[in-house]
């Protein structure tokens, strides 16, 4: 190994707890469940988080609730990456990286694009979803909790009044954001294809 980066990579491979998850992912123990939750029903970027070099966030507004429900079912069934799949990808990356060290190669693990979706509180009204018993989420937009989250205030906020320093379109009530699709990829060419979907 000739560079400091290669040395860091080698140390991470040999370590029980890698110092940089982007170098070698921490792989959970094998098995279908973690604390009684089926990993096929949890999105992979929630747990254990996607391995990724490239990531995009596609925000959307629902225009037709009926059409969206049909699309959402197909999207989650065919495109959303589960925790179980993500763990398989992390294990594959780990195997390939160990083989690279052993063989002196620099082969990349072939990991497909990964997708997750999240809905905002505003989408629940459009879709007719009732109370999910999450008080913070059901209270409405995060703009109300921006100060508590530590978001910087707007530079043009009136004295003594907190206004988050967000771009105006994030707070535009006439065009609410109903959700986001997360697209992650190891390969920039695959990434571009994923965004086109």
């Amino acid at each position: 190994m000739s560079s400091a980066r290669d040395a860091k990579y080698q140390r991470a491979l040999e370590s029980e707890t890698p110092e940089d998850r982007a170098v070698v992912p921490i792989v959970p123990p094998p098995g279908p469940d973690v604390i009684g939750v089926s990993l096929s029903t949890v999105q992979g970027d929630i747990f254990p988080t996607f391995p990724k070099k490239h990531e995009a966030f596609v925000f959307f507004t629902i225009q037709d609730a009926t059409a969206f429900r049909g699309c959402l079912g197909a999207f989650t069934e065919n495109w959303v990456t589960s925790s179980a799949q993500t763990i398989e990808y992390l294990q594959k990356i780990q195997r390939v990286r160990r083989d690279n060290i052993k063989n002196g190669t620099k082969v990349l693990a072939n990991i497909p694009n990964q997708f997750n979706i999240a809905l905002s509180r505003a989408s629940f009204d459009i879709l007719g979803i009732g109370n999910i018993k999450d008080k913070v989420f059901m209270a409405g937009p995060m703009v109300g909790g921006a100060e508590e989250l530590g978001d910087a205030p707007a530079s043009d906020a009136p004295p003594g009044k907190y206004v988050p320093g967000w771009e105006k379109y994030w707070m535009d009530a006439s065009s609410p954001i109903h959700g986001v699709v997360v697209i992650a990829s190891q390969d920039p060419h695959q990434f571009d294809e994923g965004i086109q979907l």
Side-chain angles (χ1 to χ4, degrees):
M1 305 242 161
S2 57
S3 71
R5 184 170 186 245
D6 288 339
K8 180 179 180 184
Y9 179 75
Q10 178 65 41
R11 284 192 314 276
L13 274 173
E14 294 168 353
S15 170
E16 287 288 321
T17 54
E19 59 191 349
D20 184 349
R21 187 179 184 278
V23 175
V24 179
I26 296 173
V27 180
D33 298 333
V34 172
I35 55 172
V37 176
S38 171
L39 296 179
S40 63
T41 63
V42 177
Q43 295 188 82
D45 209 27
I46 293 171
F47 174 83
T49 70
F50 289 154
K52 57 198 165 211
K53 292 186 178 181
H54 308 278
E55 186 171 45
F57 300 89
V58 179
F59 295 91
F60 60 86
T61 299
I62 299 168
Q63 302 296 323
D64 180 332
T66 303
F68 179 79
R69 275 192 211 92
C71 292
L72 180 62
F75 181 79
T76 55
E77 185 175 329
N78 298 310
W79 292 101
V80 167
T81 308
S82 72
S83 294
Q85 291 170 301
T86 303
I87 289 170
E88 288 175 18
Y89 300 154
L90 291 169
Q91 290 168 336
K92 181 177 183 178
I93 291 168
Q94 207 169 47
R95 285 191 305 271
V96 168
R97 288 180 174 171
R98 286 198 172 119
D99 289 346
N100 282 341
I101 293 296
K102 180 180 174 185
N103 302 322
T105 55
K106 293 202 176 209
V107 175
L108 294 176
N110 184 18
I111 304 296
N113 285 338
Q114 302 152 92
F115 298 86
N116 275 184
I117 188 167
L119 300 176
S120 71
R121 171 62 184 89
S123 72
F124 278 41
D125 295 333
I126 298 282
L127 297 171
I129 298 172
N131 188 336
I132 61 167
K133 299 185 178 158
D134 179 331
K135 290 179 184 177
V136 174
F137 180 79
M138 294 306 292
M142 289 304 296
V143 67
E147 185 172 18
E148 292 172 13
L149 292 170
D151 291 1
S155 58
D156 59 350
K161 181 176 180 187
Y162 174 81
V163 176
W166 296 359
E167 298 290 334
K168 300 299 181 206
Y169 55 82
W170 296 117
M171 299 188 293
D172 183 359
S174 68
S175 181
I177 294 170
H178 290 141
V180 61
V181 173
V182 179
I183 307 164
S185 181
Q186 298 284 89
D187 181 305
H189 303 294
Q190 283 182 338
F191 183 64
D192 291 342
E193 292 169 12
I195 291 176
Q196 298 304 315
L197 293 174

